[in-house]
Structures are given as structure tokens and as C-alpha cells.
């Protein structure tokens, strides 16, 4: 079997470039929510700005030479769907893995680099998004192949990593383990202290030893490096297990009314995401932060997790629980800088276990509430976010999303489609 | 669990609302099978009719008069399909030196160039310019009422 990984190149920047070709070959950066820091960079920007750099730290001189844009998730989400739909026309089994990556399974006649290069051209022409394709016998190796396809220009963004090929050892020896799928910072550090620094060394480790000292997932990674396909997508990634929504207030505050409002807003956003991935949450964590750069005596960073009486995706129920939590941890003598929530222990809706005693009377009610939530989501989708909201909301509240450099939502709003002067 | 006032809430599916027209309209008397049942064919969907490749299709609003001879007027809505191979005579969206524009693709002495639909706008030579065909215009929608549609 042959597995491929299709990855969009500099996805967010590429989306912006489709509708604004002037940005082509220029340094472009995308800012996080609230225009806080750099979360995506074009290749041209990479030498100047590290990933995650706060926008305010970029010197005014440099700012003049580069283009910084607010993240336009409406656009990126739609473009991502377009890319995946196009891929589906050419490969039977496509597993989207993130907003800009998908694994593909290839059958006999699709196995060639030539076929993939052709698909690559079609994706670029149809959607405007450039992609890289890595091919190999397992997902872990396909990821590595993709990495090589992008790094080395001569491969023209498509590379097939053959485990029987003459340069297989050489390639793995030159690949630091931090580049391997599923090896995070902590695991990386631990392996390096054991003298395992490159992919070839890891491949030659005893899988049983690794399983005992690390995890079964890392054991599988070793097998995958040897060409035995055994990692399922679900091993690393199902739907998000936690959903976080938080933001700094523009100014520190000890006004409970304002904080309540912020918590309501964040919780509502989080529950929207929760429903989008068809999940329900068992519990919610509410947290407040004072400004850590201020006087140490005035620090208060409380958090509290409260479990819901039953797992749910009902915004009203979860907001109620969140407010309860907030009232518990809030102290008026402190000025808070940031408030947020995290939805915990998220499971798929189908796994919902109903309370034995309340099942029959609640079943009807759950269905009705489900419908209500769906209607709210549809309306907000159609008429714009927060058309319908739970509880009051001050317009232009301080903690609202700041998106000052937002491009238009070219593909999801009629009012914002591309306009050309001809 | 939160109680709600409404007795029942239903989804209105966007596909069944807005851009569909009933194909056969007939009053059906209760109890009798409709003689038209055998001929029911569903609805006419304008989007489906106009758009062959949804994931490659984009909408663009134009202003200006440089394409009036081709029937593209100020404020028209263009339906652009990126998946089509541009041919001579196509109306295209092209990116010329990073600027997007709408022109006709023409060929003279084997050299492609971009042509306006208005004599007061000169044709654009493609050579020596960073030019890319962005997409092929497949429809211009000209509205007489609700010009913002």
C-alpha cells in the first residue's frame, strides 16, 4: 500500500494571495486572533520574523517592508474545503488531517510521482492553492517525504520516499527526530539524552524497549519508520479533546459585570466549536489571570473546573455552569487582565450516556434543545456571527476580536466578494 | 436542563429555500393520487445549472465600462471557473503584474494578448509582463432590480 500526505504550502498566506496576487513573492505574515502574534509566514518572511513573534516587537522599519494581515478564518476554512474536494476527485480514500493537510491512499495506477504532480497542478489551477505531496509506505514516512518535497526545490513539491531506495538511510540520518510525526518537544529532549538524535537511530531502536520506557505510540512510530503501517489517524488526532477560548481584556478590570460578559462570550464561542465537531463536554474550566507584569502582591490566577450535571453541547447550560464557576473564583480586590474557559473531557455525541433515572423524560427535551442549538448555529452562520447570542452583550466590548488588517471574506459573504474595476 | 418556550423548532434547510423553483405546480385533491406524480422531477436549482465545478468557482463583482461590447456592464456579477483551460475568445480574469482584471483572451500571429470590450481601452500585450490567467468567466449576471444581488 502507498500512503501520501498532501500539505498546502504556507496555507493562510496562499489563501490571501489567491485574491490579492500582489502579495505573490512578497513577505507576508498572518496574525493570530486579536492581531497578537505571527502565526503563519510566507517563505519570504521567514528569514526576518520567527514564528510566534508578537506583532508589536516587529520594528517599524520592517513593518513597512512586509504585509501583515489578520487571520481570516472564514476564508481559510472555505479554501480548505475546496482543496479537499478537489483532492477527492483524484484519490478514493482521503483523510483530512488538519485545515491544510490530508492523507491519501493510492491505488496501483495512482502510485506514480507523475500522477501526483498532475494532481498538484490541478489543485493549484482550480483553487489557487499550491500543495506539496509526500509519498511512502506509512503515514509517518509520508510526512517525512512531504517535508523533503518542500525543503528541496529540485523535487518540485512532490517526493516519493522508497524504503528500499539507495538513499533511504542517508535521508533518515539527516532528519532530526523533532521532525518526525508525533514527537513533541518533551519527547524529543528525552530521546536526545538517550543519544537518539536522528530518524535512522530511532528506526533501529528496539520497539519493545521503547514501548516499556515510552509509549505504545512511539513503538508504532518505530515500526512505521521501518515501513510497517500501524498508526491510525485516531492515535494522534481525533476531534479536539479540549477547546479553549480566552482573551485579554484591553484594560485590567475588577468589574464583575464585564467579566461575566466576557466569560459568556468565550463560552458561547467554545460551544459553537464543540457542536461543529459533533461533540459534548463533561466539564468546564473557568480561569482568570491578573497581569503578571504587575506587582506580585496583587497577583491572583484562580481557576476552577466544574462538571456539568450531564455532558452537553447546550450553550445555555454550559454558560450557566461557567458563570457559577466565575462567581466562585472572582475576588473584587484584584484587577484581572485575562479571562477564559476550557471545555474538558470532550466526547463524540454518539457516546453520550444518559442518566438512567432521567432518560425518558429528558430524551424529548434533549432533542428539542439540539434543534434549538442547530437553529442558532445556522442563523449565526448565515447572518453573521453573534446575530443570536445568549445573554446581553455590550457592543465593541474591549475583549472583542481585534482584526484590523482583515482581508475580505471573499468566498463566504456576498457583500465581501472580490470587486474588480475593469 | 433548560426549558424553552417554543413548542417545536425545525431547521429550514438552505438548499430547499431561496434559489429553487417548483418545477410542477399542481393542486392535489385529498384522497386521489396526483396524475402528475409520475412526472415529478424535483426542483430547478440555479446554482447547479450555472456552476459545473463548485470547488473551483468564484464570484466577482465588476465595476467599469471596459467590457461592455462583450455584455459585461457596471456592477455585474461574474461567475468564474478556475478549472477550465483558457481558450482563444474566452472572457478571462487575468493577473497582470499583480493586478487582477477582466479581459478577452485573443491571439494575434500566435501571440496571446488581452483585449478590452470597449474601443477606448487599448489591448494589453502579455509579453514582458508577469501575466497569469486566473480563471475563465462563464457567466455575467446582470440584474435589473436589486442591483446588489
Amino acid at each position: 500500500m502507498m500512503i501520501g500526505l498532501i500539505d498546502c504550502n504556507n496555507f493562510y498566506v496562499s489563501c490571501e494571495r489567491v485574491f490579492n496576487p500582489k502579495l505573490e513573492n512578497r513577505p507576508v505574515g498572518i496574525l493570530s486572533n486579536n492581531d497578537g502574534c505571527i502565526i503563519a509566514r510566507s517563505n519570504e518572511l521567514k528569514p526576518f520574523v520567527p514564528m510566534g513573534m508578537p506583532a508589536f516587537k516587529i520594528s517599524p522599519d520592517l513593518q513597512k517592508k512586509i504585509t501583515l494581515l489578520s487571520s481570516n478564518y472564514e476564508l481559510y476554512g472555505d479554501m480548505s474545503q475546496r482543496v479537499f474536494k478537489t483532492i477527492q476527485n483524484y484519490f478514493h480514500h482521503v483523510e483530512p488531517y488538519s485545515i491544510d493537510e490530508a492523507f491519501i491512499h493510492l491505488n496501483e495506477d495512482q502510485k506514480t510521482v507523475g500522477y501526483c504532480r498532475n494532481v498538484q497542478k490541478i489543485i493549484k489551477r482550480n483553487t489557487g492553492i499550491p500543495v506539496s505531496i509526500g509519498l511512502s509506505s506509512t503515514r509517518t514516512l509520508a510526512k517525512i517525504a512531504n517535508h523533503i518535497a518542500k525543503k528541496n526545490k529540485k523535487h518540485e513539491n512532490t517526493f516519493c520516499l522508497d524504503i528500499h531506495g539507495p538513499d533511504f538511510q542517508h535521508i533518515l540520518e539527516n532528519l532530526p527526530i523533532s521532525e518526525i510525526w508525533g514527537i513533541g518537544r518533551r519527547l524529543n529532549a528525552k530521546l536526545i539524552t538517550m543519544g537518539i538524535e536522528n530518524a535512522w537511530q530511532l528506526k533501529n531502536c528496539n520497539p519493545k524497549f521503547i514501548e516499556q520506557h515510552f509509549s505504545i505510540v512511539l513503538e508504532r512510530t518505530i515500526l512505521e519508520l521501518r515501513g510497517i503501517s500501524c498508526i491510525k489517524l485516531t492515535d494522534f488526532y481525533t476531534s479536539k479533546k479540549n477547546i479553549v477560548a480566552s482573551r485579554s481584556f484591553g484594560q485590567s478590570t475588577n468589574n464583575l459585570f464585564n467579566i461575566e460578559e466576557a466569560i459568556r462570550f468565550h463560552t458561547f464561542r467554545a460551544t459553537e466549536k464543540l457542536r461543529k465537531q459533533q461533540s459534548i463536554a463533561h466539564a468546564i474550566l473557568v480561569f482568570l489571570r491578573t497581569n503578571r507584569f504587575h506587582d506580585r502582591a496583587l497577583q491572583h490566577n484562580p481557576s476552577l473546573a466544574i462538571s456539568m450535571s450531564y455532558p452537553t453541547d447546550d450553550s445555555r447550560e454550559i454558560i450557566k455552569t461557567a458563570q457559577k464557576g466565575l462567581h466562585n473564583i472572582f475576588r473584587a480586590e484584584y484587577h484581572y487582565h485575562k479571562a477564559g474557559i476550557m471545555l474538558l473531557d470532550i466526547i463524540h455525541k454518539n457516546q453520550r450516556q444518559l442518566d438512567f433515572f432521567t432518560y425518558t423524560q429528558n430524551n424529548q427535551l434533549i432533542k428539542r434543545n439540539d434543534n434549538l442549538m442547530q437553529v442558532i448555529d445556522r442563523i449565526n452562520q448565515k447572518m453573521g456571527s453573534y446575530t443570536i447570542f445568549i445573554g446581553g452583550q455590550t457592543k465593541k466590548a474591549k475583549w472583542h476580536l481585534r482584526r484590523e488588517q482583515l482581508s475580505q471574506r471573499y468566498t463566504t459573504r456576498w457583500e465581501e466578494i472580490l470587486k474588480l474595476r475593469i | 436542563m433548560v426549558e424553552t418556550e417554543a413548542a417545536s423548532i425545525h431547521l429550514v434547510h438552505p438548499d430547499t429555500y431561496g434559489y429553487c423553483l417548483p418545477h410542477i405546480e399542481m393542486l392535489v385533491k385529498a384522497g386521489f393520487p396526483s396524475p402528475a406524480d409520475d412526472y415529478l422531477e424535483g426542483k430547478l436549482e440555479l446554482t447547479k445549472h450555472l456552476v459545473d465545478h463548485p470547488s473551483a468557482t468564484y464570484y466577482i463583482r465588476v465595476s467599469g465600462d471596459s467590457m461592455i461590447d462583450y455584455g459585461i456592464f457596471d456592477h455585474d456579477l461574474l461567475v468564474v471557473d478556475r478549472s477550465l483551460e483558457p481558450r482563444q475568445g474566452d472572457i478571462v480574469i487575468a493577473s497582470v503584474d499583480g493586478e487582477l482584471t477582466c479581459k478577452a483572451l485573443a491571439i494575434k500571429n500566435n501571440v496571446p494578448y488581452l483585449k478590452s470590450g470597449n474601443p477606448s481601452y487599448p489591448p494589453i500585450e502579455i509579453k514582458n509582463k508577469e501575466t497569469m490567467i486566473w480563471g475563465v468567466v462563464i457567466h455575467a449576471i446582470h440584474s435589473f432590480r436589486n442591483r446588489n444581488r
Side-chain angles (χ1 to χ4, degrees):
Chain A
M1 189 179 55
M2 187 79 107
I3 291 178
L5 177 72
I6 304 190
D7 187 2
C8 303
N9 303 345
N10 315 104
F11 181 58
Y12 293 175
V13 175
S14 295
C15 292
E16 301 285 353
R17 281 176 171 165
V18 172
F19 298 92
N20 190 356
K22 264 206 196 108
L23 299 176
E24 213 68 59
N25 304 318
R26 288 183 41 89
V28 181
I30 309 292
L31 299 166
S32 64
N33 272 350
N34 232 5
D35 293 350
C37 48
I38 303 275
I39 52 162
R41 301 166 298 163
S42 72
N43 289 342
E44 297 80 3
L45 186 66
K46 282 178 185 173
F48 303 109
V49 177
M51 195 70 162
M53 186 189 233
F56 72 86
K57 280 197 178 166
I58 300 172
S59 73
D61 267 3
L62 186 56
Q63 293 228 15
K64 266 178 229 154
K65 288 181 206 137
I66 64 179
T67 307
L68 294 178
L69 297 166
S70 306
S71 36
N72 184 346
Y73 286 109
E74 292 87 346
L75 177 66
Y76 310 151
D78 181 75
M79 295 303 284
S80 161
Q81 274 182 25
R82 287 168 183 264
V83 171
F84 290 151
K85 285 223 170 101
T86 311
I87 296 172
Q88 273 159 4
N89 290 338
Y90 299 93
F91 300 102
H92 298 297
H93 190 65
V94 178
E95 306 166 322
Y97 169 63
S98 70
I99 191 164
D100 58 356
E101 296 167 284
F103 284 105
I104 49 172
H105 296 250
L106 299 94
N107 63 27
E108 281 308 313
D109 48 322
Q110 298 169 337
K111 263 189 194 172
T112 61
V113 171
Y115 183 87
C116 290
R117 284 238 162 89
N118 194 31
V119 175
Q120 199 183 357
K121 279 197 194 100
I122 292 168
I123 296 170
K124 169 80 171 115
R125 190 189 63 195
N126 289 14
T127 64
I129 303 292
V131 300
S132 299
I133 306 182
L135 302 174
S136 196
S137 16
T138 67
R139 288 190 179 81
T140 305
L141 290 171
K143 267 246 176 196
I144 293 172
N146 193 292
H147 179 77
I148 296 165
K150 271 210 187 93
K151 272 268 150 82
N152 196 334
K153 278 224 161 84
K154 74 170 185 208
H155 300 306
E156 293 169 39
N157 289 317
T158 298
F159 181 70
C160 180
L161 180 59
D162 180 0
I163 56 167
H164 304 299
D167 51 355
F168 184 59
Q169 178 173 351
H170 178 77
I171 286 169
L172 290 203
E173 275 174 352
N174 283 295
L175 189 81
I177 49 168
S178 57
E179 298 288 347
I180 299 172
W181 192 30
I183 296 191
R185 210 188 304 165
R186 213 178 287 169
L187 195 52
N188 184 42
K190 208 169 159 193
L191 285 167
I192 283 175
T193 58
M194 293 172 67
I196 303 165
E197 290 175 3
N198 65 51
W200 185 254
Q201 289 171 325
L202 183 65
K203 170 188 169 281
N204 290 328
C205 283
N206 180 346
K208 278 295 145 220
F209 171 83
I210 290 290
E211 197 239 293
Q212 277 157 19
H213 289 82
F214 291 91
S215 70
I216 191 152
V217 176
L218 191 58
E219 182 200 3
R220 288 187 188 145
T221 300
I222 292 174
L223 296 176
E224 289 241 325
L225 288 172
R226 295 178 182 185
I228 303 159
S229 186
C230 56
I231 290 183
K232 281 191 246 105
L233 224 44
T234 47
D235 288 344
F236 290 131
Y237 178 93
T238 44
S239 16
K240 282 190 195 146
K241 283 272 188 280
N242 298 317
I243 295 176
V244 187
S246 71
R247 204 166 295 150
S248 310
F249 301 109
Q251 235 173 356
S252 295
T253 177
N254 68 340
N255 180 329
L256 181 60
F257 181 83
N258 287 346
I259 300 175
E260 275 176 351
E261 203 178 315
I263 289 287
R264 202 155 53 218
F265 177 79
H266 297 323
T267 311
F268 187 75
R269 274 200 311 148
T271 51
E272 268 184 336
K273 278 188 203 159
L274 186 68
R275 288 193 291 272
K276 211 167 188 179
Q277 64 175 52
Q278 307 223 335
S279 301
I280 47 181
H282 279 89
I284 183 168
L285 178 101
V286 185
F287 60 87
L288 295 171
R289 298 273 177 273
T290 45
N291 192 337
R292 67 193 160 95
F293 297 113
H294 285 179
D295 191 350
R296 276 184 70 191
L298 299 172
Q299 297 292 322
H300 189 225
N301 298 313
S303 70
L304 179 69
I306 313 181
S307 91
M308 257 80 70
S309 31
Y310 49 88
T312 181
D313 63 358
D314 189 323
S315 295
R316 299 166 300 170
E317 192 62 27
I318 300 179
I319 286 173
K320 221 165 62 182
T321 312
Q323 299 292 16
K324 239 191 274 172
L326 171 64
H327 292 151
N328 243 302
I329 57 175
F330 172 80
R331 299 280 173 276
E333 59 267 38
Y334 296 103
H335 281 74
Y336 296 101
H337 172 69
K338 186 175 187 175
I341 65 107
M342 187 191 290
L343 296 176
L344 304 171
D345 295 329
I346 293 169
I347 56 166
H348 195 269
K349 232 173 166 173
N350 298 339
Q351 294 167 280
R352 161 152 53 189
Q353 278 184 337
L354 289 170
D355 185 336
F356 178 73
F357 295 102
T358 50
Y359 176 73
T360 35
Q361 73 233 45
N362 274 350
N363 202 22
Q364 204 64 28
L365 201 54
I366 285 175
K367 262 200 198 122
R368 227 174 63 185
N369 289 342
D370 272 359
N371 279 346
L372 174 66
M373 289 302 134
Q374 274 187 59
V375 169
I376 291 178
D377 290 344
R378 284 284 176 97
I379 292 174
N380 284 337
Q381 223 168 37
K382 210 170 166 180
M383 319 277 292
S385 301
Y386 318 117
T387 303
I388 292 200
F389 191 76
I390 313 259
Q393 200 189 8
T394 312
K395 277 219 171 120
K396 297 240 163 164
K398 286 269 160 52
W399 35 266
H400 267 293
L401 197 52
R402 217 168 65 207
R403 296 163 101 185
E404 281 164 6
Q405 309 297 329
L406 186 64
S407 50
Q408 283 131 266
R409 288 161 285 192
Y410 299 105
T411 58
T412 53
R413 305 257 164 138
W414 282 112
E415 320 82 85
E416 296 185 21
I417 61 171
L418 190 61
K419 287 180 186 73
L420 285 189
R421 170 101 205 138
I422 59 167
Chain B
M1 183 77 44
V2 185
E3 266 289 357
T4 50
E5 292 290 321
S8 91
I9 293 168
H10 296 287
L11 280 177
V12 178
H13 200 274
D15 289 350
T16 61
Y17 177 78
Y19 39 73
C20 307
L21 292 170
H23 189 219
I24 296 174
E25 238 177 73
M26 240 198 182
L27 282 174
V28 182
K29 285 194 179 125
F32 289 92
S34 159
D37 272 358
D38 290 347
Y39 302 95
L40 266 180
E41 287 188 283
K43 314 265 185 191
L44 292 180
E45 282 188 38
L46 192 55
T47 327
K48 266 193 191 156
H49 183 67
L50 296 179
V51 176
D52 293 329
H53 309 107
S55 50
T57 300
Y58 297 88
Y59 304 117
I60 294 177
R61 173 89 59 200
V62 292
S63 60
D65 60 358
S66 78
M67 291 297 280
I68 44 175
D69 289 351
Y70 290 106
I72 297 175
F73 300 96
D74 190 44
H75 216 69
D76 280 0
L77 177 70
L78 304 184
V79 181
V80 183
D81 190 337
R82 285 189 59 118
S83 72
L84 303 176
E85 205 60 63
R87 289 192 301 234
Q88 180 176 2
D90 273 340
I91 306 295
V92 296
I93 301 295
S95 154
V96 182
D97 288 338
E99 209 71 64
L100 287 175
T101 182
C102 176
K103 292 279 170 281
L105 181 61
I107 294 175
K108 199 180 194 175
N109 304 330
N110 273 331
V111 183
Y113 69 101
L114 297 172
K115 209 172 129 197
S116 297
N118 185 333
S120 36
Y121 295 81
I124 300 174
E125 301 265 344
I126 288 182
K127 59 175 182 186
N128 306 328
K129 282 200 175 111
E130 183 90 23
T131 309
M132 186 202 84
I133 301 299
W134 193 93
V136 175
V137 178
I138 50 171
H139 306 286
I141 297 174
H142 182 79
S143 302
F144 297 95
R145 279 202 190 193
N146 295 326
R147 296 278 287 142
N148 282 322
R149 283 275 161 78

